[in-house]
PDB file of all heavy atoms in Angstrom:
ATOM      1  N   ASN A 376       6.872   2.210   1.811  1.00 97.00           N
ATOM      2  CA  ASN A 376       7.905   3.194   2.144  1.00 97.00           C
ATOM      3  C   ASN A 376       7.843   3.439   3.652  1.00 97.00           C
ATOM      4  O   ASN A 376       6.823   3.873   4.176  1.00 97.00           O
ATOM      5  CB  ASN A 376       7.658   4.492   1.371  1.00 97.00           C
ATOM      6  CG  ASN A 376       8.782   5.495   1.541  1.00 97.00           C
ATOM      7  OD1 ASN A 376       9.344   5.648   2.620  1.00 97.00           O
ATOM      8  ND2 ASN A 376       9.114   6.193   0.468  1.00 97.00           N
ATOM      9  N   ARG A 377       8.950   3.142   4.344  1.00 97.00           N
ATOM     10  CA  ARG A 377       8.935   3.272   5.806  1.00 97.00           C
ATOM     11  C   ARG A 377       8.929   4.716   6.279  1.00 97.00           C
ATOM     12  O   ARG A 377       8.575   4.997   7.419  1.00 97.00           O
ATOM     13  CB  ARG A 377      10.139   2.547   6.418  1.00 97.00           C
ATOM     14  CG  ARG A 377       9.960   1.042   6.551  1.00 97.00           C
ATOM     15  CD  ARG A 377      10.108   0.346   5.224  1.00 97.00           C
ATOM     16  NE  ARG A 377      10.045  -1.115   5.348  1.00 97.00           N
ATOM     17  CZ  ARG A 377      10.126  -1.930   4.308  1.00 97.00           C
ATOM     18  NH1 ARG A 377      10.264  -1.454   3.091  1.00 97.00           N
ATOM     19  NH2 ARG A 377      10.057  -3.232   4.492  1.00 97.00           N
ATOM     20  N   GLY A 378       9.316   5.651   5.424  1.00 97.00           N
ATOM     21  CA  GLY A 378       9.225   7.069   5.773  1.00 97.00           C
ATOM     22  C   GLY A 378      10.112   7.480   6.925  1.00 97.00           C
ATOM     23  O   GLY A 378       9.677   8.177   7.855  1.00 97.00           O
ATOM     24  N   LEU A 379      11.409   7.092   6.860  1.00 97.00           N
ATOM     25  CA  LEU A 379      12.343   7.404   7.949  1.00 97.00           C
ATOM     26  C   LEU A 379      12.520   8.907   8.107  1.00 97.00           C
ATOM     27  O   LEU A 379      12.777   9.624   7.143  1.00 97.00           O
ATOM     28  CB  LEU A 379      13.695   6.743   7.678  1.00 97.00           C
ATOM     29  CG  LEU A 379      14.824   7.071   8.646  1.00 97.00           C
ATOM     30  CD1 LEU A 379      14.497   6.553  10.047  1.00 97.00           C
ATOM     31  CD2 LEU A 379      16.140   6.507   8.138  1.00 97.00           C
ATOM     32  N   GLN A 380      12.387   9.377   9.337  1.00 96.00           N
ATOM     33  CA  GLN A 380      12.646  10.764   9.693  1.00 96.00           C
ATOM     34  C   GLN A 380      13.414  10.787  11.009  1.00 96.00           C
ATOM     35  O   GLN A 380      13.473   9.784  11.727  1.00 96.00           O
ATOM     36  CB  GLN A 380      11.333  11.547   9.848  1.00 96.00           C
ATOM     37  CG  GLN A 380      10.489  11.612   8.600  1.00 96.00           C
ATOM     38  CD  GLN A 380       9.149  12.292   8.835  1.00 96.00           C
ATOM     39  OE1 GLN A 380       8.781  12.602   9.977  1.00 96.00           O
ATOM     40  NE2 GLN A 380       8.416  12.525   7.759  1.00 96.00           N
ATOM     41  N   ALA A 381      13.994  11.933  11.317  1.00 95.00           N
ATOM     42  CA  ALA A 381      14.699  12.048  12.593  1.00 95.00           C
ATOM     43  C   ALA A 381      13.742  11.871  13.768  1.00 95.00           C
ATOM     44  O   ALA A 381      14.145  11.414  14.847  1.00 95.00           O
ATOM     45  CB  ALA A 381      15.398  13.398  12.683  1.00 95.00           C
ATOM     46  N   SER A 382      12.477  12.196  13.567  1.00 95.00           N
ATOM     47  CA  SER A 382      11.486  12.125  14.649  1.00 95.00           C
ATOM     48  C   SER A 382      10.733  10.802  14.684  1.00 95.00           C
ATOM     49  O   SER A 382       9.787  10.654  15.459  1.00 95.00           O
ATOM     50  CB  SER A 382      10.485  13.272  14.493  1.00 95.00           C
ATOM     51  OG  SER A 382       9.845  13.197  13.219  1.00 95.00           O
ATOM     52  N   GLY A 383      11.116   9.839  13.854  1.00 95.00           N
ATOM     53  CA  GLY A 383      10.423   8.553  13.830  1.00 95.00           C
ATOM     54  C   GLY A 383      10.198   8.076  12.403  1.00 95.00           C
ATOM     55  O   GLY A 383      10.962   8.405  11.487  1.00 95.00           O
ATOM     56  N   PHE A 384       9.143   7.298  12.210  1.00 97.00           N
ATOM     57  CA  PHE A 384       8.794   6.795  10.880  1.00 97.00           C
ATOM     58  C   PHE A 384       7.413   7.315  10.499  1.00 97.00           C
ATOM     59  O   PHE A 384       6.483   7.321  11.299  1.00 97.00           O
ATOM     60  CB  PHE A 384       8.777   5.254  10.873  1.00 97.00           C
ATOM     61  CG  PHE A 384      10.137   4.632  11.052  1.00 97.00           C
ATOM     62  CD1 PHE A 384      10.639   4.360  12.320  1.00 97.00           C
ATOM     63  CD2 PHE A 384      10.929   4.316   9.958  1.00 97.00           C
ATOM     64  CE1 PHE A 384      11.892   3.791  12.496  1.00 97.00           C
ATOM     65  CE2 PHE A 384      12.178   3.744  10.110  1.00 97.00           C
ATOM     66  CZ  PHE A 384      12.664   3.484  11.389  1.00 97.00           C
ATOM     67  N   HIS A 385       7.297   7.754   9.244  1.00 97.00           N
ATOM     68  CA  HIS A 385       6.006   8.200   8.712  1.00 97.00           C
ATOM     69  C   HIS A 385       5.747   7.401   7.437  1.00 97.00           C
ATOM     70  O   HIS A 385       5.934   7.902   6.324  1.00 97.00           O
ATOM     71  CB  HIS A 385       6.032   9.699   8.426  1.00 97.00           C
ATOM     72  CG  HIS A 385       4.665  10.301   8.355  1.00 97.00           C
ATOM     73  ND1 HIS A 385       4.434  11.632   8.131  1.00 97.00           N
ATOM     74  CD2 HIS A 385       3.429   9.741   8.490  1.00 97.00           C
ATOM     75  CE1 HIS A 385       3.137  11.875   8.114  1.00 97.00           C
ATOM     76  NE2 HIS A 385       2.502  10.737   8.325  1.00 97.00           N
ATOM     77  N   PRO A 386       5.308   6.135   7.588  1.00 97.00           N
ATOM     78  CA  PRO A 386       5.247   5.226   6.434  1.00 97.00           C
ATOM     79  C   PRO A 386       4.092   5.528   5.490  1.00 97.00           C
ATOM     80  O   PRO A 386       3.101   6.180   5.853  1.00 97.00           O
ATOM     81  CB  PRO A 386       5.061   3.850   7.090  1.00 97.00           C
ATOM     82  CG  PRO A 386       4.382   4.153   8.392  1.00 97.00           C
ATOM     83  CD  PRO A 386       4.925   5.483   8.836  1.00 97.00           C
ATOM     84  N   SER A 387       4.244   5.045   4.270  1.00 97.00           N
ATOM     85  CA  SER A 387       3.184   5.124   3.269  1.00 97.00           C
ATOM     86  C   SER A 387       3.191   3.837   2.460  1.00 97.00           C
ATOM     87  O   SER A 387       4.195   3.129   2.390  1.00 97.00           O
ATOM     88  CB  SER A 387       3.373   6.345   2.350  1.00 97.00           C
ATOM     89  OG  SER A 387       4.577   6.232   1.615  1.00 97.00           O
ATOM     90  N   VAL A 388       2.057   3.544   1.852  1.00 98.00           N
ATOM     91  CA  VAL A 388       1.887   2.345   1.033  1.00 98.00           C
ATOM     92  C   VAL A 388       1.257   2.752  -0.297  1.00 98.00           C
ATOM     93  O   VAL A 388       0.313   3.548  -0.328  1.00 98.00           O
ATOM     94  CB  VAL A 388       0.995   1.306   1.748  1.00 98.00           C
ATOM     95  CG1 VAL A 388       0.564   0.208   0.789  1.00 98.00           C
ATOM     96  CG2 VAL A 388       1.722   0.705   2.931  1.00 98.00           C
ATOM     97  N   THR A 389       1.815   2.217  -1.391  1.00 97.00           N
ATOM     98  CA  THR A 389       1.241   2.428  -2.720  1.00 97.00           C
ATOM     99  C   THR A 389       0.866   1.076  -3.307  1.00 97.00           C
ATOM    100  O   THR A 389       1.695   0.167  -3.365  1.00 97.00           O
ATOM    101  CB  THR A 389       2.232   3.148  -3.651  1.00 97.00           C
ATOM    102  OG1 THR A 389       2.618   4.395  -3.072  1.00 97.00           O
ATOM    103  CG2 THR A 389       1.601   3.401  -5.010  1.00 97.00           C
ATOM    104  N   VAL A 390      -0.384   0.949  -3.718  1.00 97.00           N
ATOM    105  CA  VAL A 390      -0.892  -0.297  -4.298  1.00 97.00           C
ATOM    106  C   VAL A 390      -1.422   0.004  -5.696  1.00 97.00           C
ATOM    107  O   VAL A 390      -2.134   0.990  -5.900  1.00 97.00           O
ATOM    108  CB  VAL A 390      -2.006  -0.910  -3.431  1.00 97.00           C
ATOM    109  CG1 VAL A 390      -2.490  -2.224  -4.025  1.00 97.00           C
ATOM    110  CG2 VAL A 390      -1.520  -1.123  -2.004  1.00 97.00           C
ATOM    111  N   SER A 391      -1.057  -0.837  -6.663  1.00 95.00           N
ATOM    112  CA  SER A 391      -1.492  -0.601  -8.040  1.00 95.00           C
ATOM    113  C   SER A 391      -1.545  -1.910  -8.811  1.00 95.00           C
ATOM    114  O   SER A 391      -1.090  -2.954  -8.338  1.00 95.00           O
ATOM    115  CB  SER A 391      -0.546   0.387  -8.738  1.00 95.00           C
ATOM    116  OG  SER A 391       0.771  -0.138  -8.782  1.00 95.00           O
ATOM    117  N   PHE A 392      -2.111  -1.839  -9.995  1.00 96.00           N
ATOM    118  CA  PHE A 392      -2.142  -2.960 -10.938  1.00 96.00           C
ATOM    119  C   PHE A 392      -1.573  -2.443 -12.265  1.00 96.00           C
ATOM    120  O   PHE A 392      -2.318  -2.166 -13.207  1.00 96.00           O
ATOM    121  CB  PHE A 392      -3.570  -3.483 -11.124  1.00 96.00           C
ATOM    122  CG  PHE A 392      -4.157  -4.104  -9.892  1.00 96.00           C
ATOM    123  CD1 PHE A 392      -4.825  -3.334  -8.952  1.00 96.00           C
ATOM    124  CD2 PHE A 392      -4.027  -5.462  -9.662  1.00 96.00           C
ATOM    125  CE1 PHE A 392      -5.363  -3.906  -7.805  1.00 96.00           C
ATOM    126  CE2 PHE A 392      -4.567  -6.049  -8.518  1.00 96.00           C
ATOM    127  CZ  PHE A 392      -5.232  -5.271  -7.593  1.00 96.00           C
ATOM    128  N   PRO A 393      -0.247  -2.277 -12.355  1.00 96.00           N
ATOM    129  CA  PRO A 393       0.342  -1.621 -13.528  1.00 96.00           C
ATOM    130  C   PRO A 393       0.182  -2.385 -14.832  1.00 96.00           C
ATOM    131  O   PRO A 393       0.334  -1.796 -15.899  1.00 96.00           O
ATOM    132  CB  PRO A 393       1.824  -1.483 -13.141  1.00 96.00           C
ATOM    133  CG  PRO A 393       2.052  -2.498 -12.085  1.00 96.00           C
ATOM    134  CD  PRO A 393       0.760  -2.619 -11.350  1.00 96.00           C
ATOM    135  N   GLU A 394      -0.120  -3.683 -14.773  1.00 97.00           N
ATOM    136  CA  GLU A 394      -0.293  -4.461 -16.001  1.00 97.00           C
ATOM    137  C   GLU A 394      -1.733  -4.878 -16.219  1.00 97.00           C
ATOM    138  O   GLU A 394      -2.024  -5.790 -17.006  1.00 97.00           O
ATOM    139  CB  GLU A 394       0.609  -5.702 -15.974  1.00 97.00           C
ATOM    140  CG  GLU A 394       2.082  -5.386 -15.855  1.00 97.00           C
ATOM    141  CD  GLU A 394       2.595  -4.529 -16.994  1.00 97.00           C
ATOM    142  OE1 GLU A 394       2.112  -4.696 -18.132  1.00 97.00           O
ATOM    143  OE2 GLU A 394       3.486  -3.688 -16.750  1.00 97.00           O
ATOM    144  N   GLY A 395      -2.676  -4.192 -15.555  1.00 96.00           N
ATOM    145  CA  GLY A 395      -4.083  -4.519 -15.722  1.00 96.00           C
ATOM    146  C   GLY A 395      -4.633  -5.258 -14.514  1.00 96.00           C
ATOM    147  O   GLY A 395      -3.900  -5.699 -13.629  1.00 96.00           O
ATOM    148  N   LEU A 396      -5.962  -5.387 -14.507  1.00 94.00           N
ATOM    149  CA  LEU A 396      -6.664  -5.904 -13.336  1.00 94.00           C
ATOM    150  C   LEU A 396      -7.777  -6.861 -13.771  1.00 94.00           C
ATOM    151  O   LEU A 396      -8.611  -6.514 -14.609  1.00 94.00           O
ATOM    152  CB  LEU A 396      -7.276  -4.726 -12.564  1.00 94.00           C
ATOM    153  CG  LEU A 396      -8.287  -5.027 -11.477  1.00 94.00           C
ATOM    154  CD1 LEU A 396      -7.576  -5.632 -10.276  1.00 94.00           C
ATOM    155  CD2 LEU A 396      -9.013  -3.750 -11.067  1.00 94.00           C
ATOM    156  N   PRO A 397      -7.815  -8.086 -13.226  1.00 95.00           N
ATOM    157  CA  PRO A 397      -8.954  -8.974 -13.506  1.00 95.00           C
ATOM    158  C   PRO A 397     -10.251  -8.340 -13.014  1.00 95.00           C
ATOM    159  O   PRO A 397     -10.353  -7.922 -11.855  1.00 95.00           O
ATOM    160  CB  PRO A 397      -8.616 -10.242 -12.727  1.00 95.00           C
ATOM    161  CG  PRO A 397      -7.124 -10.227 -12.589  1.00 95.00           C
ATOM    162  CD  PRO A 397      -6.771  -8.773 -12.445  1.00 95.00           C
ATOM    163  N   ARG A 398     -11.229  -8.264 -13.905  1.00 94.00           N
ATOM    164  CA  ARG A 398     -12.506  -7.633 -13.546  1.00 94.00           C
ATOM    165  C   ARG A 398     -13.150  -8.382 -12.379  1.00 94.00           C
ATOM    166  O   ARG A 398     -13.122  -9.603 -12.311  1.00 94.00           O
ATOM    167  CB  ARG A 398     -13.444  -7.645 -14.754  1.00 94.00           C
ATOM    168  CG  ARG A 398     -14.726  -6.858 -14.557  1.00 94.00           C
ATOM    169  CD  ARG A 398     -15.520  -6.764 -15.839  1.00 94.00           C
ATOM    170  NE  ARG A 398     -15.889  -8.096 -16.342  1.00 94.00           N
ATOM    171  CZ  ARG A 398     -16.557  -8.298 -17.462  1.00 94.00           C
ATOM    172  NH1 ARG A 398     -16.889  -7.268 -18.230  1.00 94.00           N
ATOM    173  NH2 ARG A 398     -16.870  -9.527 -17.852  1.00 94.00           N
ATOM    174  N   GLY A 399     -13.732  -7.622 -11.449  1.00 93.00           N
ATOM    175  CA  GLY A 399     -14.376  -8.211 -10.289  1.00 93.00           C
ATOM    176  C   GLY A 399     -13.454  -8.407  -9.103  1.00 93.00           C
ATOM    177  O   GLY A 399     -13.882  -8.901  -8.053  1.00 93.00           O
ATOM    178  N   THR A 400     -12.182  -8.014  -9.227  1.00 94.00           N
ATOM    179  CA  THR A 400     -11.230  -8.175  -8.132  1.00 94.00           C
ATOM    180  C   THR A 400     -11.598  -7.273  -6.951  1.00 94.00           C
ATOM    181  O   THR A 400     -11.973  -6.121  -7.132  1.00 94.00           O
ATOM    182  CB  THR A 400      -9.803  -7.832  -8.617  1.00 94.00           C
ATOM    183  OG1 THR A 400      -9.416  -8.766  -9.615  1.00 94.00           O
ATOM    184  CG2 THR A 400      -8.817  -7.881  -7.472  1.00 94.00           C
ATOM    185  N   ASP A 401     -11.488  -7.824  -5.752  1.00 95.00           N
ATOM    186  CA  ASP A 401     -11.678  -7.036  -4.542  1.00 95.00           C
ATOM    187  C   ASP A 401     -10.501  -6.072  -4.414  1.00 95.00           C
ATOM    188  O   ASP A 401      -9.368  -6.490  -4.198  1.00 95.00           O
ATOM    189  CB  ASP A 401     -11.761  -7.957  -3.325  1.00 95.00           C
ATOM    190  CG  ASP A 401     -12.023  -7.199  -2.031  1.00 95.00           C
ATOM    191  OD1 ASP A 401     -12.156  -5.954  -2.072  1.00 95.00           O
ATOM    192  OD2 ASP A 401     -12.079  -7.847  -0.968  1.00 95.00           O
ATOM    193  N   ARG A 402     -10.764  -4.768  -4.531  1.00 96.00           N
ATOM    194  CA  ARG A 402      -9.698  -3.766  -4.543  1.00 96.00           C
ATOM    195  C   ARG A 402      -9.482  -3.107  -3.183  1.00 96.00           C
ATOM    196  O   ARG A 402      -8.736  -2.148  -3.066  1.00 96.00           O
ATOM    197  CB  ARG A 402     -10.008  -2.711  -5.596  1.00 96.00           C
ATOM    198  CG  ARG A 402     -10.013  -3.263  -7.015  1.00 96.00           C
ATOM    199  CD  ARG A 402     -10.472  -2.228  -8.035  1.00 96.00           C
ATOM    200  NE  ARG A 402     -11.922  -2.034  -8.018  1.00 96.00           N
ATOM    201  CZ  ARG A 402     -12.539  -0.952  -7.602  1.00 96.00           C
ATOM    202  NH1 ARG A 402     -11.824   0.084  -7.171  1.00 96.00           N
ATOM    203  NH2 ARG A 402     -13.860  -0.873  -7.624  1.00 96.00           N
ATOM    204  N   ALA A 403     -10.142  -3.635  -2.143  1.00 97.00           N
ATOM    205  CA  ALA A 403      -9.985  -3.067  -0.805  1.00 97.00           C
ATOM    206  C   ALA A 403      -8.592  -3.377  -0.251  1.00 97.00           C
ATOM    207  O   ALA A 403      -8.091  -4.485  -0.403  1.00 97.00           O
ATOM    208  CB  ALA A 403     -11.053  -3.625   0.130  1.00 97.00           C
ATOM    209  N   VAL A 404      -7.993  -2.375   0.383  1.00 97.00           N
ATOM    210  CA  VAL A 404      -6.640  -2.494   0.920  1.00 97.00           C
ATOM    211  C   VAL A 404      -6.696  -2.422   2.443  1.00 97.00           C
ATOM    212  O   VAL A 404      -7.314  -1.516   3.006  1.00 97.00           O
ATOM    213  CB  VAL A 404      -5.727  -1.365   0.386  1.00 97.00           C
ATOM    214  CG1 VAL A 404      -4.317  -1.495   0.952  1.00 97.00           C
ATOM    215  CG2 VAL A 404      -5.702  -1.390  -1.139  1.00 97.00           C
ATOM    216  N   HIS A 405      -6.051  -3.382   3.099  1.00 98.00           N
ATOM    217  CA  HIS A 405      -5.973  -3.421   4.561  1.00 98.00           C
ATOM    218  C   HIS A 405      -4.498  -3.355   4.964  1.00 98.00           C
ATOM    219  O   HIS A 405      -3.669  -4.081   4.418  1.00 98.00           O
ATOM    220  CB  HIS A 405      -6.620  -4.692   5.108  1.00 98.00           C
ATOM    221  CG  HIS A 405      -8.022  -4.921   4.621  1.00 98.00           C
ATOM    222  ND1 HIS A 405      -9.114  -4.294   5.175  1.00 98.00           N
ATOM    223  CD2 HIS A 405      -8.496  -5.678   3.600  1.00 98.00           C
ATOM    224  CE1 HIS A 405     -10.203  -4.665   4.534  1.00 98.00           C
ATOM    225  NE2 HIS A 405      -9.854  -5.510   3.570  1.00 98.00           N
ATOM    226  N   VAL A 406      -4.182  -2.490   5.914  1.00 98.00           N
ATOM    227  CA  VAL A 406      -2.791  -2.288   6.335  1.00 98.00           C
ATOM    228  C   VAL A 406      -2.703  -2.385   7.857  1.00 98.00           C
ATOM    229  O   VAL A 406      -3.571  -1.877   8.581  1.00 98.00           O
ATOM    230  CB  VAL A 406      -2.253  -0.915   5.877  1.00 98.00           C
ATOM    231  CG1 VAL A 406      -0.775  -0.778   6.214  1.00 98.00           C
ATOM    232  CG2 VAL A 406      -2.471  -0.718   4.384  1.00 98.00           C
ATOM    233  N   SER A 407      -1.664  -3.030   8.334  1.00 98.00           N
ATOM    234  CA  SER A 407      -1.404  -3.093   9.772  1.00 98.00           C
ATOM    235  C   SER A 407       0.096  -3.000   9.996  1.00 98.00           C
ATOM    236  O   SER A 407       0.896  -3.217   9.086  1.00 98.00           O
ATOM    237  CB  SER A 407      -1.952  -4.386  10.385  1.00 98.00           C
ATOM    238  OG  SER A 407      -1.334  -5.518   9.796  1.00 98.00           O
ATOM    239  N   ALA A 408       0.476  -2.675  11.231  1.00 97.00           N
ATOM    240  CA  ALA A 408       1.898  -2.578  11.577  1.00 97.00           C
ATOM    241  C   ALA A 408       2.100  -3.113  12.983  1.00 97.00           C
ATOM    242  O   ALA A 408       1.285  -2.873  13.877  1.00 97.00           O
ATOM    243  CB  ALA A 408       2.382  -1.134  11.477  1.00 97.00           C
ATOM    244  N   ILE A 409       3.178  -3.859  13.139  1.00 97.00           N
ATOM    245  CA  ILE A 409       3.573  -4.349  14.461  1.00 97.00           C
ATOM    246  C   ILE A 409       5.056  -4.075  14.664  1.00 97.00           C
ATOM    247  O   ILE A 409       5.804  -3.899  13.696  1.00 97.00           O
ATOM    248  CB  ILE A 409       3.299  -5.860  14.636  1.00 97.00           C
ATOM    249  CG1 ILE A 409       4.155  -6.680  13.656  1.00 97.00           C
ATOM    250  CG2 ILE A 409       1.834  -6.185  14.471  1.00 97.00           C
ATOM    251  CD1 ILE A 409       4.122  -8.172  13.917  1.00 97.00           C
TER     252      ILE A 409
END
């Protein structure tokens, strides 16, 4: 979600596994913006 506002952008990210998750999966999340 880019989070558009009059004063700029206030983005957010949602990460999930709605249909289940293989056991042992690396669940770390890395985010960057350019």
Side-chain angles (χ1 to χ4, degrees):
N376 187 321
R377 280 76 175 179
L379 174 64
Q380 299 175 353
S382 58
F384 292 89
H385 201 179
S387 63
V388 167
T389 303
V390 182
S391 61
F392 294 88
E394 300 301 325
L396 168 72
R398 188 173 60 182
T400 296
D401 183 1
R402 296 174 284 111
V404 180
H405 307 279
V406 185
S407 61
I409 64 170

